[in-house]
């Protein structure tokens, strides 16, 4: 990890601390221990590789397959050939906030006639269970710690528990995009 950052201050780290400081190396090591199949299965449970519509068709997010160990390590922290959309990241965060249940995205609340009477209203719809409530609650606490004690401190809102995670995505030309996902109240 970056030598001048918090990640270089420890030779061993808990998952909570590594997530709060956005340290990639521990997560790359975890991915290598778990293996490509388990990491790919988890990505699939959150919707990677699956086509969505809102009801318009949206670009799908993809987690690569048939990787070498070094490629798996890179992919486990969102690099290598991982492709994700803002919608996918928002749905993943929302599933954590919702106890592991991922809801079907929909950009239409209702369909109305020209005189504004409602023809049809959409109701929230469960898409899948991405993870257990126990795991979602643990990840939520780690995300809260990232805002309370980590590099996502600027996302804090007085009077609210905010859960969040920072990241960096490489783009062409050697540039980086910094991003943040989160939810409140947590």
């Amino acid at each position: 990890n970056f030598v001048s950052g918090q990640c270089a201050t420890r030779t061993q780290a808990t998952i909570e601390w590594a997530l709060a400081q956005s340290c990639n190396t521990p997560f790359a090591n975890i991915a290598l221990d778990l293996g490509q199949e388990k990491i790919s299965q988890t990505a699939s449970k959150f919707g990677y590789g699956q086509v969505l519509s809102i009801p318009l068709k949206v670009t799908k997010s993809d987690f690569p397959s048939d990787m070498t160990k070094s490629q798996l390590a890179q992919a486990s922290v969102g690099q290598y050939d991982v492709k994700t959309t803002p919608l996918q990241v928002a749905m993943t965060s929302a599933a954590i906030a919702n106890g592991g249940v991922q809801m079907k995205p929909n950009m239409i609340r209702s369909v109305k006639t020209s005189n504004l009477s409602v023809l049809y209203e959409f109701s929230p719809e469960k898409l899948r269970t991405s993870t257990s409530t126990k795991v979602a609650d643990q990840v939520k606490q780690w995300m809260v710690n990232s805002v309370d004690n980590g590099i996502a401190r600027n996302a804090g809102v007085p009077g609210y528990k905010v859960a969040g995670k920072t990241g960096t995505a490489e783009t062409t030309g050697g540039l980086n995009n910094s991003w943040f996902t989160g939810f409140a109240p947590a």
Side-chain angles (χ1 to χ4, degrees):
N1 276 300
F2 183 59
V3 173
S4 299
Q6 283 293 319
C7 299
T9 64
R10 295 186 180 187
T11 57
Q12 292 186 333
T14 63
I15 293 174
E16 180 177 36
W17 188 85
L19 189 114
Q21 302 307 323
S22 202
C23 298
N24 293 337
T25 306
F27 292 101
N29 284 328
I30 290 168
L32 292 175
D33 289 345
L34 292 174
Q36 184 174 176
E37 185 176 336
K38 286 183 181 178
I39 299 295
S40 294
Q41 286 172 354
T42 300
S44 179
K45 287 179 183 178
F46 280 94
Y48 282 80
Q50 297 163 25
V51 176
L52 286 173
S53 64
I54 58 172
L56 302 170
K57 185 179 173 185
V58 297
T59 301
K60 71 177 180 171
S61 297
D62 282 313
F63 190 82
S65 59
D66 300 322
M67 294 177 280
T68 65
K69 286 185 176 185
S70 63
Q71 291 167 338
L72 174 60
Q74 291 174 331
S76 71
V77 296
Q79 300 297 319
Y80 178 55
D81 202 20
V82 174
K83 295 177 179 76
T84 192
T85 63
L87 176 61
Q88 184 67 57
V89 173
M91 289 175 59
T92 299
S93 298
I96 297 300
N98 199 32
V101 175
Q102 196 172 64
M103 302 302 287
K104 181 178 179 183
N106 192 345
M107 63 184 252
I108 299 173
R109 181 180 297 166
S110 63
V111 177
K112 297 180 180 183
T113 65
S114 59
N115 69 359
L116 301 181
S117 61
V118 176
L119 284 175
Y120 185 81
E121 283 191 314
F122 290 87
S123 299
E125 187 179 332
K126 177 181 172 181
L127 183 60
R128 66 178 64 89
T129 300
S130 298
T131 192
S132 69
T133 301
K134 182 179 178 180
V135 169
D137 288 347
Q138 180 64 73
V139 173
K140 182 187 337 180
Q141 290 310 307
W142 290 335
M143 291 174 72
V144 166
N145 185 55
S146 181
V147 174
D148 287 350
N149 303 303
I151 65 170
R153 276 193 189 97
N154 289 338
V157 178
Y160 291 92
K161 277 288 182 201
V162 178
K165 177 67 183 95
T166 61
T168 305
E170 295 173 353
T171 62
T172 58
L175 300 174
N176 292 326
N177 285 335
S178 296
W179 58 265
F180 175 83
T181 184
F183 52 89

